[in-house]
Amino acid sequence: MLVTWAFAVLLCERKRRSEDQTAADSGKRARSQIEPNKIHLYRLYGNNNRSQKKIQVVDKLREGKSVAVIARELGIAEATVEVYAIDCFVANAPLDKTMLARHMEVNPESFQLIKGAIEGCKDGKLRTVKDHLDDVFSYNQIRLVLACMIRDLEID
């Protein structure tokens, strides 16, 4: 299944790249593909490029390995493993949102707080969201909630 998912990601990326070249907003998804109410969420999320390391992180998470073990095996920081997992999750990788939320300590209450700050962000910068939340939450916690919002999911 992962090979199929990875192949699908590659095909979508190739198609998206050709569409992006003709889009006025170079380097981002063509606006016509995004629901109008989600454009600001994608802008806030930023670029999300595929990589072999991201696919390895998904494989290892699906095997049940912890973030700490994956970081050690791949020789990267735990925060980087989290970023890769969130990037893959927002791209519809088969990852469990509950597992990600539990690892990143995002509960339903913190989800709603972060979601409210994201919805109130008008300048398109994660720093503004983080400042609004008084630096209580990490960028990865914010990005996870943002990824859930993009996928129309809630943490419960």
Side-chain angles (χ1 to χ4, degrees), residues 29-140:
R29 288 184 185 209
R31 288 190 179 120
S32 63
Q33 292 182 313
I34 301 173
E35 296 172 43
N37 61 336
K38 291 190 179 180
I39 290 173
H40 75 285
L41 296 176
Y42 280 99
R43 282 190 185 138
L44 190 58
Y45 193 86
N47 291 335
N48 183 9
N49 299 315
R50 73 181 189 288
S51 75
Q52 189 59 38
K53 285 256 193 200
K54 288 180 183 180
I55 293 170
Q56 289 174 323
V57 165
V58 170
D59 284 342
K60 292 177 184 299
L61 283 170
R62 290 181 48 81
E63 290 170 6
K65 294 185 178 179
S66 72
V67 169
V69 168
I70 295 168
R72 205 170 30 256
E73 287 180 0
L74 296 179
I76 57 178
E78 288 184 33
T80 303
V81 172
E82 291 174 354
V83 168
Y84 288 175
I86 298 166
D87 281 354
C88 291
F89 177 72
V90 80
N92 292 319
L95 291 173
D96 179 19
K97 69 174 177 163
T98 306
M99 179 270 304
L100 292 173
R102 189 173 38 249
H103 170 75
M104 292 183 212
E105 299 178 356
V106 175
N107 59 40
E109 295 80 25
S110 59
F111 180 90
Q112 292 303 322
L113 283 171
I114 296 168
K115 182 178 177 182
I118 290 169
E119 289 170 341
C121 180
K122 301 300 180 204
D123 69 357
K125 296 179 182 175
L126 283 179
R127 180 77 228 174
T128 304
V129 175
K130 193 164 176 25
D131 288 345
H132 180 77
L133 295 165
D134 297 324
D135 283 329
V136 171
F137 300 102
S138 71
Y139 280 112
N140 284 349

